[in-house]
Amino acid sequence: MPSSLPRRFVLRQFLLTAVSLLLPTSVASAEDQLKVAIGQRGGWEQCVSELGQNAGIFKRHGLELETLYTQGSGETIQIVLSGSVDVGIGPGTHAVLGAFAKGAPIRMIGASFTGARDQLYYVRGDSPIRGMQDAEGKTIGISTSGSSSNMLALALAKHFGVNLIPTATGNYSSTFTQVMTRQIDIGFAQAPFLLDAVEDGRIRLVAKGADMPEVQDQTIRAWITHADNLARRKDVLARYVTAYRETLDWLYASPEAVKAYAAWSGLAERLARQAPDYITKDSLDPIRIVGLDDMMGDAVKFKYIPAPLTKEQLATLVQVPR
């Protein structure tokens, strides 16, 4: 018997070591992975997932995020419907309505942005366009056809009573280049981007999203997922909503969050600090979806959908996991 004690001790030590080696793997495997496609990297609206993950907020909810960035609505919708990602952030709500009306298995699981106070419209510093009254027949940048920037350009034209020519220019940086090289007349950006260029006179603002009161109570950009993904992973998506909202609380309360945003976006900190002034927290609240009835009217007018969705159709399309 005494000779068997060392073997027992060795076996026990071996088992303890094996368990300790397995623990980290067990913890890691307990975190559900979510692939998230986000339109237009760099803005305050687009930073939430990455900064929340860096701050450990999503991890506390058992989530590990993989983020990638698209040029806008069409690309985001396509990659979600292909099943390549779990969540799409930022496609224009009109485009989402259109895809659903055509039979796409798409679900709107949250609001990406409500209102338009973040939008800036600008021209070169030496442009003869002094205001929107001078913009008749001019080209205006949009990210992609069907995007929220596309619909806002049309709303801007309607509000000021001018005809504009929406022109796909991609992201904020490429749009700025095309304005400065005179390929288009009017550019668009999300504040606080390009405020430094306004300060030094390279560009001049001719309008802001706040000039259009009619769109301030409309959820112009959405969160989307594939219908099958919502059915299979509703609990995971609900945790994403919760962690996202906690990240918003942190972003709007902590000076460290603004510093993190400045580093992530490449903006000077003095500009990054202005982001919460242009973009209020409620405009980013994913569970605040408003103005769909009015938006469906525009979607019909601009031929995204043949007729307004019924209440039953809206109930199928809009499902925020809680």
Side-chain angles (χ1 to χ4, degrees):
M1 288 293 291
S3 62
S4 68
L5 288 176
R7 286 199 301 274
R8 221 180 282 161
F9 176 78
V10 170
L11 179 60
R12 184 171 139 198
Q13 290 300 105
F14 172 79
L15 290 173
L16 286 172
T17 301
V19 169
S20 69
L21 289 172
L22 287 171
L23 277 175
T25 303
S26 300
V27 171
S29 64
E31 292 176 9
D32 291 297
Q33 294 192 340
L34 274 180
K35 294 182 179 179
V36 184
I38 305 167
Q40 297 275 15
R41 186 189 189 281
W44 186 248
E45 174 188 358
Q46 294 86 28
C47 79
V48 184
S49 291
E50 273 203 70
L51 294 192
Q53 172 145 283
N54 294 345
I57 296 171
F58 286 92
K59 186 178 181 68
R60 289 202 299 269
H61 291 271
L63 298 174
E64 181 180 345
L65 307 183
E66 178 183 336
T67 56
L68 59 92
Y69 295 87
T70 73
Q71 291 292 320
S73 287
E75 186 179 345
T76 303
I77 291 173
Q78 184 177 17
I79 199 171
V80 167
L81 292 177
S82 73
S84 300
V85 300
D86 298 293
V87 180
I89 302 290
T93 304
H94 294 89
V96 174
L97 292 169
F100 177 81
K102 291 174 184 175
I106 194 171
R107 298 293 180 265
M108 182 175 173
I109 59 170
S112 180
F113 200 93
T114 296
R117 298 184 186 279
D118 60 319
Q119 293 295 295
L120 304 176
Y121 298 96
Y122 63 91
V123 296
R124 279 176 57 106
D126 60 358
S127 170
I129 301 173
R130 309 302 299 182
M132 291 306 298
Q133 68 277 5
D134 303 320
E136 175 65 30
K138 302 300 184 183
T139 53
I140 183 168
I142 61 172
S143 60
T144 59
S145 177
S147 63
S148 62
S149 57
N150 190 170
M151 295 306 297
L152 287 176
L154 297 173
L156 191 71
K158 179 181 177 182
H159 180 80
F160 285 98
V162 295
N163 292 305
L164 297 173
I165 305 171
T167 305
T169 53
N171 61 30
Y172 306 135
S173 178
S174 63
T175 300
F176 177 69
T177 298
Q178 290 173 68
V179 169
M180 299 309 290
T181 55
R182 294 187 171 88
Q183 296 177 63
I184 60 166
D185 300 302
I186 303 169
F188 78 103
Q190 184 183 61
F193 274 93
L194 300 183
L195 290 180
D196 55 340
V198 175
E199 290 174 351
D200 62 27
R202 284 177 289 162
I203 61 174
R204 184 163 23 83
L205 296 182
V206 292
K208 297 179 181 179
D211 294 335
M212 298 178 283
E214 60 270 26
V215 301
Q216 301 312 322
D217 291 318
Q218 295 182 1
T219 296
I220 64 170
R221 291 189 288 279
W223 289 11
I224 58 172
T225 193
H226 194 289
D228 291 343
N229 194 53
L230 178 61
R232 288 186 298 104
R233 310 192 76 193
K234 185 174 182 179
D235 172 69
V236 177
L237 294 170
R239 280 185 276 134
Y240 179 72
V241 172
T242 300
Y244 196 98
R245 298 186 83 205
E246 286 187 18
T247 303
L248 289 178
D249 291 339
W250 172 68
L251 284 172
Y252 282 85
S254 172
E256 294 306 311
V258 172
K259 291 180 181 178
Y261 170 61
W264 176 81
S265 65
L267 289 169
E269 193 171 324
R270 64 182 177 80
L271 298 177
R273 280 196 300 269
Q274 298 182 55
D277 297 331
Y278 282 91
I279 303 172
T280 59
K281 187 166 71 170
D282 66 340
S283 68
L284 299 180
D285 188 346
I287 71 170
R288 181 176 175 243
I289 299 175
V290 295
L292 291 185
D293 287 343
D294 290 337
M295 297 184 75
M296 283 194 291
D298 286 337
V300 171
K301 177 180 178 181
F302 294 111
K303 303 188 186 308
Y304 283 93
I305 55 178
L309 302 184
T310 65
K311 289 183 179 180
E312 292 75 16
Q313 287 175 313
L314 271 181
T316 299
L317 171 63
V318 182
Q319 300 186 46
V320 180
R322 301 289 296 276

